[in-house]
Amino acid sequence: MKITRYKKVQKYLKFYYNNFGFHQPYQVLIDGTFCFSAFKEHIAIREQLTKYLNGNVKLLTTRCIIKETEKIAKKTHGALTILKQFGIHECGHKEPVSGSQCILSMVGKKNDKHYILATQDRDLQEKMRLKAGVPLLYLHNKSPTLEKPSPASYGKAGQSLEANSSIFISPTQNEALKNMKKSLGIEEKDETKKIIVKEKKQKNPNPLSCKKKKTKQGNKQNDKKDKVFEGRVKKRKKSKHKNTLP
Ligand SMILES: [Zn+2]
């Protein structure tokens, strides 16, 4: 496994650990589509996921998912045999529902049981991205891939951070406010300074443009000045040489 790939997955897992309380063993909820792909690509799910997530994994499925795969995958018996190796989590559906419906109810609103969802079902992935704290795992180019946390997940994490910080700040709220005002005051001054500087800079080009408009006489005068200046420089140089010579 490439180092960048390894670093990425560890970064994402840390995010879910810090913000949503994910921990080992990782509970990977696997559906029929994932199994079907794994079977097709000859991927040993347990081995690959353990290596990829660099931790203990609990591979799980539900009765509804198995039932659905039994119905659909008569040709793909292999996927079913893989699926049946996994632990079965009780979904509470007496009458089996579709795999995606079952997963949606298992994850619920907050994904309290910290499932990492392994699916190739794009519709289901899309629905899960709208929920915060549902890691998505799928096979991409024959490799397990943990998707970057969704904007909903980042948003929720940001909200919870703000909520925490406001609680911590409250005892020293006055000081914080004073500092805020100070910083704001400084910022305002800086802005006015910047504006003044900008205005000055804008004024500068005007005298230059006036020079261009000047008559030939003005130019001649400038030439004379330059000659005089050059002469001085030359003299200075000579004197310098004299001084430096022993
Ligand atoms: Zn179910």
Side-chain angles (χ1 to χ4, degrees):
M1 187 164 27
K2 283 177 186 172
I3 292 163
T4 47
R5 211 170 111 77
Y6 172 79
K7 273 187 179 174
K8 255 188 192 175
V9 70
Q10 287 307 312
K11 191 181 149 189
Y12 298 158
L13 285 172
K14 205 178 171 187
F15 172 85
Y16 287 115
Y17 170 80
N18 286 331
N19 297 295
F20 298 97
F22 279 71
H23 50 78
Q24 289 186 48
Y26 300 118
Q27 301 204 90
V28 186
L29 184 59
I30 299 173
D31 79 348
T33 62
F34 188 86
C35 269
F36 181 65
S37 270
F39 176 73
K40 223 170 66 180
E41 310 283 5
H42 307 288
I43 285 161
I45 295 176
R46 186 179 298 278
E47 195 189 319
Q48 288 286 310
L49 292 190
T50 307
K51 211 193 263 182
Y52 179 60
L53 300 174
N54 193 30
N56 293 322
V57 291
K58 241 184 183 177
L59 307 180
L60 307 163
T61 193
T62 67
R63 284 204 177 85
C64 296
I65 292 168
I66 290 175
K67 285 271 176 199
E68 187 189 58
T69 313
E70 271 174 351
K71 275 185 204 168
I72 297 168
K74 278 185 179 175
K75 287 177 188 173
T76 55
H77 189 71
L80 192 65
T81 30
I82 295 168
L83 208 52
K84 281 183 173 173
Q85 293 170 359
F86 305 149
I88 292 172
H89 261 206
E90 272 306 325
C91 60
H93 297 123
K94 283 177 184 174
E95 287 292 314
V97 295
S98 75
S100 55
Q101 259 181 297
C102 186
I103 287 166
L104 278 165
S105 78
M106 290 282 280
V107 168
K109 279 183 182 174
K110 290 183 175 177
N111 194 13
D112 288 325
K113 288 186 176 168
H114 304 127
Y115 293 121
I116 295 174
L117 181 59
T119 183
Q120 303 293 101
D121 182 340
R122 284 174 189 267
D123 288 338
L124 187 60
Q125 286 170 358
E126 207 51 58
K127 281 173 188 163
M128 289 300 168
R129 284 187 194 106
L130 300 174
K131 294 171 184 257
V134 188
L136 289 174
L137 192 81
Y138 46 80
L139 295 172
H140 180 68
N141 294 335
K142 298 187 180 184
S143 305
T145 306
L146 188 72
E147 191 174 83
K148 188 183 175 180
S150 69
S153 290
Y154 276 118
K156 187 76 198 290
Q159 275 173 26
S160 61
L161 278 173
E162 275 171 24
N164 286 335
S165 64
S166 70
I167 291 159
F168 287 126
I169 286 165
S170 58
T172 56
Q173 213 164 21
N174 283 329
E175 272 187 33
L177 277 169
K178 277 178 190 173
N179 288 333
M180 281 268 285
K181 280 175 187 173
K182 270 186 187 176
S183 65
L184 280 169
I186 290 160
E187 274 175 16
E188 277 167 16
K189 276 173 192 171
D190 281 352
E191 276 174 15
T192 51
K193 273 178 190 173
K194 276 175 191 171
I195 289 160
I196 290 161
V197 169
K198 274 179 187 173
E199 278 174 357
K200 277 181 181 174
K201 274 179 183 172
Q202 279 172 346
K203 278 175 186 173
N204 282 337
N206 288 333
L208 283 168
S209 63
C210 284
K211 270 186 181 175
K212 280 177 186 173
K213 280 174 190 172
K214 272 184 182 176
T215 52
K216 285 172 188 175
Q217 283 178 353
N219 286 334
K220 278 176 186 174
Q221 276 176 356
N222 283 338
D223 289 346
K224 276 176 189 173
K225 273 179 189 173
D226 287 340
K227 276 173 189 171
V228 171
F229 186 70
E230 274 172 19
R232 274 180 193 166
V233 171
K234 275 173 188 171
K235 274 175 191 172
R236 271 181 201 164
K237 271 180 185 172
K238 276 174 189 172
S239 64
K240 266 185 187 174
H241 280 294
K242 276 172 191 172
N243 288 336
T244 50
L245 283 165

